[in-house]
């Protein structure tokens, strides 16, 4: 029997990476999940049969570490990124230099295919270091590995997301829900749709190039919060925090994070505020899901399935509502 092909997924235990790992296992590939803490990623093993999906140590900031996990791989997917800097994991070290390192070594080892998970809004001239380093990483990848596939998703939703889950928790804490950039537009995309796009790249079913991935609907930040509140059946006053005020708050949280030696997770950073000033939607004249033959999934089809826990009665919310409709109530 021929040996199954091998894919290395950098950050394969993360939000997007775990969905790619699961799909690649279903395709019959061996999956090498390259992460900094393999012992914390053992939950990926049941995605396949015994020994098919294995978490292994890798530090994307180190050449030898990256080379070790790429040896023998038939494809590589880089999902590593950071939303906020902590310690040595800066935007530049991870999203620019790390991406460049993966591409350079993949080219050196003649890895047949390389897929990079980037983000809509990647821009070398952006005020946001996050967006600038995403763009710098893309350029470095294409310089070293011109046939790479780069996927730029809008904000990603799914059961483990840090968007709807975060604001769902906030809605339980009080009657006011503050947001920064209430009029900023997003095109939320389902995490498994992004994974499906990456898998098509690994299987050679997608042409090289940059793809911008967005869901079927475009919504403002405020509209997304209104929808989220309707799903969790709570009432909150949505308050738009002006960008100038949010920048001051971000500066304060950045300082607090440094003084705590990264022990405190900032509610918002100055860089995130800068990112929120710009719409996060698919551009004109670019490759999209349509070029991959994928029909994107709507919010309504997925979000209620995991936000129910933020309802006042949690999993009993529907039962309680049904009981209220009984005769005599």
């Amino acid at each position: 029997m021929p040996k199954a092909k091998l894919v290395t997924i950098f950050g394969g235990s993360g939000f997007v990476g775990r969905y790619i790992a699961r799909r690649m296992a279903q395709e019959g590939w061996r999956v090498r999940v390259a992460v900094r803490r393999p012992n914390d990623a053992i939950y990926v093993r049941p995605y396949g049969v015994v020994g098919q999906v294995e978490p292994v140590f890798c530090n994307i900031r180190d050449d030898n570490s990256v080379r070790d996990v790429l040896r023998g791989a038939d494809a590589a997917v880089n999902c590593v990124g950071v939303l906020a800097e902590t310690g040595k994991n800066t935007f530049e070290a991870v999203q620019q230099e790390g991406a460049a390192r993966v591409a350079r070594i993949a080219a050196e080892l003649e890895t047949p295919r390389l897929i990079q998970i980037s983000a809509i809004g990647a821009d070398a001239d952006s005020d946001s270091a996050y967006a600038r380093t995403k763009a710098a990483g893309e350029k470095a990848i294409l310089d070293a590995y011109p046939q790479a596939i780069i996927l730029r998703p809008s904000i990603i939703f799914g059961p483990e997301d840090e968007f709807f889950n975060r604001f769902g928790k906030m809605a339980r804490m009080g009657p006011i829900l503050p947001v920064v950039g209430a009029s900023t537009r997003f095109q939320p995309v389902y995490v498994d749709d992004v994974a499906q796009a990456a898998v098509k790249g690994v299987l050679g079913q997608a042409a090289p190039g940059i793809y911008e991935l967005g869901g079927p609907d475009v919504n403002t930040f405020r509209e997304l919060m209104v929808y989220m509140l309707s799903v969790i059946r709570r009432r909150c006053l949505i308050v738009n925090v002006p960008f100038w005020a949010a920048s001051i708050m971000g500066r304060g949280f950045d300082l607090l994070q440094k003084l705590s030696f990264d022990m405190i997770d900032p509610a918002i950073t100055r860089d995130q505020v800068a990112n929120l000033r710009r719409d996060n939607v698919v551009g004109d004249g670019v490759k999209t899901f349509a070029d991959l033959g994928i029909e994107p999934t709507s919010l309504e089809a997925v979000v209620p399935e995991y936000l129910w826990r933020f309802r006042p009665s949690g999993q009993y919310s529907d039962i309680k509502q049904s009981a209220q409709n009984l005769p005599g109530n």
Side-chain angles (χ1 to χ4, degrees):
M1 292 288 292
K3 195 173 185 179
K5 289 188 174 182
L6 170 67
V7 59
T8 296
I9 306 177
F10 295 91
S13 65
F15 178 33
V16 178
R18 68 183 70 182
Y19 283 82
I20 300 174
R22 184 184 291 114
R23 279 187 169 268
M24 289 309 306
Q26 291 171 351
E27 292 288 339
W29 283 51
R30 290 179 295 135
V31 183
R32 184 180 285 162
V33 176
V35 292
R36 285 185 299 156
R37 300 182 181 89
N39 289 338
D40 293 340
I42 57 175
Y43 57 83
V44 301
R45 286 178 173 169
Y47 292 170
V49 298
V50 176
Q52 185 182 4
V53 182
E54 283 295 329
V56 297
F57 171 77
C58 177
N59 183 349
I60 202 171
R61 302 193 311 269
D62 179 75
D63 273 29
N64 290 331
S65 184
V66 171
R67 186 174 289 106
D68 286 344
V69 298
L70 275 178
R71 281 199 178 94
D74 298 284
V77 184
N78 182 23
C79 304
V80 180
V82 291
L83 294 174
E85 297 179 314
T86 55
K88 295 181 180 179
N89 291 317
T90 63
F91 292 130
E92 185 175 357
V94 175
Q95 298 181 166
Q96 180 177 339
E97 296 172 1
R101 180 172 294 108
V102 170
R104 171 171 52 80
I105 295 175
E108 171 192 317
L109 297 177
E110 298 182 347
T111 305
R113 295 191 180 95
L114 173 63
I115 293 84
Q116 168 75 14
I117 307 297
S118 184
I120 285 180
D123 182 358
D125 299 320
S126 175
D127 293 332
S128 162
Y130 173 88
R132 288 197 306 273
T133 53
K134 282 289 189 182
E138 290 182 2
K139 182 180 183 303
I141 287 168
L142 294 176
D143 286 345
Y145 200 115
Q147 297 303 304
I149 292 174
I150 295 175
L151 304 178
R152 291 178 173 177
S154 182
I155 192 164
I156 304 176
F157 67 90
E160 306 86 2
D161 70 44
E162 296 183 13
F163 183 70
F164 286 114
N165 282 304
R166 180 177 185 178
F167 285 99
K169 291 177 184 177
M170 291 173 61
R172 290 192 304 189
M173 298 172 63
I176 296 177
L177 187 63
V179 298
V180 179
S183 60
T184 299
R185 298 186 306 151
F186 296 91
Q187 197 168 347
V189 57
Y190 180 39
V191 60
D192 199 42
D193 290 342
V194 178
Q196 187 179 353
V199 169
K200 281 184 174 287
V202 172
L203 299 179
Q205 298 171 357
I210 298 175
Y211 295 79
E212 296 199 350
L213 308 180
D217 301 306
V218 175
N219 306 95
T220 65
F221 201 159
R222 180 183 295 276
E223 290 170 343
L224 290 174
M225 293 299 96
V226 169
Y227 171 69
M228 182 270 297
L229 289 171
S230 72
V231 171
I232 66 174
R233 301 171 187 173
R234 292 182 182 271
R235 292 183 178 181
C236 287
L237 177 63
I238 301 173
V239 177
N240 181 45
V241 180
F243 285 119
W244 64 266
S247 294
I248 295 173
M249 292 169 57
R251 186 182 293 112
F253 279 115
D254 287 346
L255 178 60
L256 189 61
Q257 183 185 19
K258 290 181 180 179
L259 293 176
S260 68
F261 299 100
D262 296 322
M263 295 295 291
I264 294 177
D265 184 21
I268 193 166
T269 67
R270 285 188 68 193
D271 197 78
Q272 289 169 350
V273 173
N275 228 359
L276 285 167
R277 291 178 180 270
R278 302 180 64 175
D279 289 340
N280 197 268
V281 298
V282 172
D284 297 325
V286 297
K287 292 180 180 180
T288 66
F289 274 129
D291 297 279
L292 296 168
I294 298 173
E295 184 72 27
T297 306
S298 68
L299 286 170
E300 293 79 7
V302 177
V303 170
E305 297 299 318
Y306 66 91
L307 285 188
W308 55 263
R309 63 184 180 276
F310 298 116
R311 293 172 180 170
S313 301
Q315 69 266 41
Y316 303 109
S317 185
D318 288 336
I319 297 175
K320 185 176 180 180
Q321 187 172 4
S322 297
Q324 291 174 346
N325 296 328
L326 292 174
N329 290 336

